[in-house]
Amino acid sequence: MRNLLTDLIVLCRSANKTVVATSRHYATEATFGIKPYRLHKFERGPEERATVTRDDALKMYRDMQTIRRIETAAGNLYKEKIVRGFCHLYSGQEACAVGMKYAMRPVDSIISAYRVHGWTYLMGVTVPGVLCELTGRKTGCARGKGGSMHMYSKNFYGGNGIVGAQIPLGAGVALANKYRGDGGVCLALYGDGASNQGQAFEAYNMSFLWNVPCIFVCENNGYGMGTSASRSSSNTAYYTRGDALPGIWVDGMDVLAVRNATRFAIDYATKTGPLVMEVFTYRYSGHSMSDPGTSYRTRDEIQEVRQTRDPIMLFKDKIIESKLVSEDELKKIDTEVKKEVDAATALAKSDSEIELKELTTDIYSANIEPRVRGTHVNQQYPHATLKRAVNL
């Protein structure tokens, strides 16, 4: 017989949420209303109520807060000129990645563009692995050779530097899932700016004809590289742009709404075929660190989103009000995350770079050729060979 003191359940309902509370003063789970989805060629969409357990709520909060801290650290490292080259921050879009990840299964894959520091962390790379990669150090997930735009891990096919290139690549990954018969799907993420690339429509078309299990995810943050969506696209209802492909619009600032929609999309893609999902979100920083992000939008606009639609703040308020967690618990998580990211930042500054001889390695995962040009030293002219290798 269950212990009534610890397992007593009190069911509380209100207009937009259901809370299951225990005698420990914490709810075991809570259900929240979701902003209505918009549908294209679907008669029925995802559930407009989402349930989250206390454990998942704590994990989701920690992941979103970690991504936010990673991006703050990345921005600071760039300003200190320790991160060089390009650097695109995900701040403001955390609910998109975390919501999708919590719906994905181990067999599913994801491919994205260059705004992927947060995704790299979610797909199993440690915080030091992310930040050291940004600074070109050996502890980085690609030994410092990939940098901000080229990070990879299992089932994560990375950020891709060519605008829109990941869309047909994602269709190819999904085709591999179909070929193997493993039941997996691929989420191919791209922005509203990349949505006008011709290769996007080619990928839609081929995926439809071949019935490929691909979810084309447009992360619509309102702006491309200095241009608003309305100035660059004749049709800003990105979820409808797959033509024959059905589509879903979801509030990308609500992590539970994104999780619900992604579960629905995975189920559809597995059973039926490709679809388009638009997650409506916002980026706080410019397109990249070289873009101040204020010449084509106002500071007041950014501040208003931070105050009224911030994904971390919205989720925090929900789970505290529903008695899933306490404010003190979240403060403790904030402290732990800050400590972890601060330590990783210090390592990213002090860690050493790889040796010169390692620059041309990692070309193949399983090389079948006995020699690879540029990786073997010419015994007669060793320095000349090494110099050519470095310049490749």
Side-chain angles (χ1 to χ4, degrees):
M1 189 172 187
R2 293 184 177 181
N3 188 327
L4 296 178
L5 291 176
T6 57
D7 292 336
L8 179 63
I9 302 298
V10 180
L11 186 63
C12 306
R13 288 190 175 89
S14 63
N16 68 339
K17 65 184 178 184
T18 301
V19 177
V20 181
T22 72
S23 58
R24 296 189 186 95
H25 307 296
Y26 293 121
T28 56
E29 64 180 36
T31 303
F32 303 95
I34 288 173
K35 186 180 292 186
Y37 299 97
R38 300 172 194 169
L39 306 176
H40 170 67
K41 295 199 171 184
F42 274 121
E43 292 184 3
R44 180 185 62 83
E47 290 292 327
E48 293 187 2
R49 295 179 71 79
T51 299
V52 64
T53 65
R54 168 177 158 79
D55 287 346
D56 277 353
L58 289 168
K59 291 174 185 175
M60 285 177 153
Y61 179 82
R62 179 183 290 273
D63 282 342
M64 286 197 289
Q65 196 66 274
T66 301
I67 294 172
R68 179 70 58 86
R69 284 280 180 186
I70 287 173
E71 296 299 55
T72 300
N76 290 334
L77 288 167
Y78 187 92
K79 291 171 185 175
E80 294 174 43
K81 297 185 178 181
I82 299 173
V83 171
R84 309 305 292 264
F86 295 101
C87 186
H88 303 77
L89 304 183
Y90 205 66
S91 303
Q93 300 183 211
E94 295 87 356
C96 300
V98 173
M100 284 183 253
K101 181 62 175 69
Y102 275 73
M104 290 171 66
R105 306 158 304 172
V107 73
D108 298 325
S109 303
I110 176 257
I111 187 169
S112 187
Y114 29 71
R115 206 179 302 278
V116 289
H117 309 153
W119 266 111
T120 307
Y121 163 74
L122 290 177
M123 294 302 289
V125 175
T126 64
V127 177
V130 174
L131 292 178
C132 287
E133 187 60 35
L134 290 178
T135 57
R137 310 304 170 102
K138 66 181 182 181
T139 303
C141 59
R143 302 285 288 167
K145 300 188 214 177
S148 174
M149 301 172 76
H150 304 101
M151 300 182 177
Y152 310 93
S153 66
K154 181 175 172 57
N155 285 1
F156 174 47
Y157 292 87
N160 290 263
I162 299 174
V163 176
Q166 71 277 15
I167 305 173
L169 290 175
V173 173
L175 179 62
N177 289 125
K178 182 178 179 179
Y179 184 83
R180 290 193 298 260
D182 58 19
V185 306
C186 181
L187 285 78
L189 278 60
Y190 55 98
D192 50 286
S195 68
N196 297 315
Q197 290 281 319
Q199 56 194 326
F201 299 96
E202 294 175 43
Y204 295 160
N205 187 58
M206 294 177 72
S207 296
F208 178 82
L209 293 175
W210 295 351
N211 197 32
V212 169
C214 187
I215 304 171
F216 297 100
V217 183
C218 177
E219 292 186 291
N220 177 13
N221 59 29
Y223 300 93
M225 189 163 21
T227 307
S228 65
S230 60
R231 292 185 62 202
S232 64
S233 300
S234 59
N235 176 10
T236 57
Y238 296 102
Y239 68 102
T240 69
R241 294 176 67 172
D243 192 14
L245 275 63
I248 307 169
W249 178 97
V250 57
D251 179 6
M253 305 302 259
D254 182 343
V255 66
L256 298 180
V258 176
R259 188 190 63 174
N260 257 27
T262 307
R263 284 175 173 171
F264 177 90
I266 288 174
D267 182 66
Y268 179 86
T270 302
K271 296 176 180 176
T272 309
L275 72 156
V276 178
M277 184 168 77
E278 175 186 350
V279 286
F280 185 67
T281 183
Y282 197 85
R283 59 169 164 79
Y284 294 153
S285 302
H287 172 75
S288 69
M289 287 299 295
S290 60
D291 168 27
T294 53
S295 60
Y296 48 87
R297 59 182 183 174
T298 65
R299 295 182 187 276
D300 289 342
E301 176 185 308
I302 302 169
Q303 192 61 26
E304 182 183 2
V305 175
R306 282 184 177 274
Q307 293 175 352
T308 62
R309 293 177 54 210
D310 182 79
I312 299 176
M313 176 195 72
L314 292 176
F315 188 62
K316 177 180 179 180
D317 290 346
K318 278 183 180 180
I319 59 180
I320 289 176
E321 289 174 9
S322 64
K323 308 299 183 185
L324 270 178
V325 303
S326 70
E327 192 166 357
D328 287 342
E329 284 182 295
L330 299 188
K331 285 181 180 178
K332 182 182 178 183
I333 289 175
D334 293 345
T335 301
E336 292 171 351
V337 168
K338 182 180 184 302
K339 183 178 179 181
E340 179 183 14
V341 175
D342 285 350
T345 303
L347 178 62
K349 292 179 178 181
S350 62
D351 194 27
S352 60
E353 299 178 356
I354 59 173
E355 295 182 34
L356 196 61
K357 64 182 180 181
E358 197 181 330
L359 281 178
T360 53
T361 59
D362 302 319
I363 299 174
Y364 302 103
S365 61
N367 182 31
I368 59 174
E369 293 293 332
R371 293 177 64 83
V372 177
R373 181 173 65 87
T375 66
H376 292 85
V377 175
N378 184 318
Q379 296 301 322
Q380 187 175 0
Y381 303 106
H383 299 295
T385 304
L386 186 58
K387 183 177 180 181
R388 287 198 301 273
V390 170
N391 289 332
L392 286 178

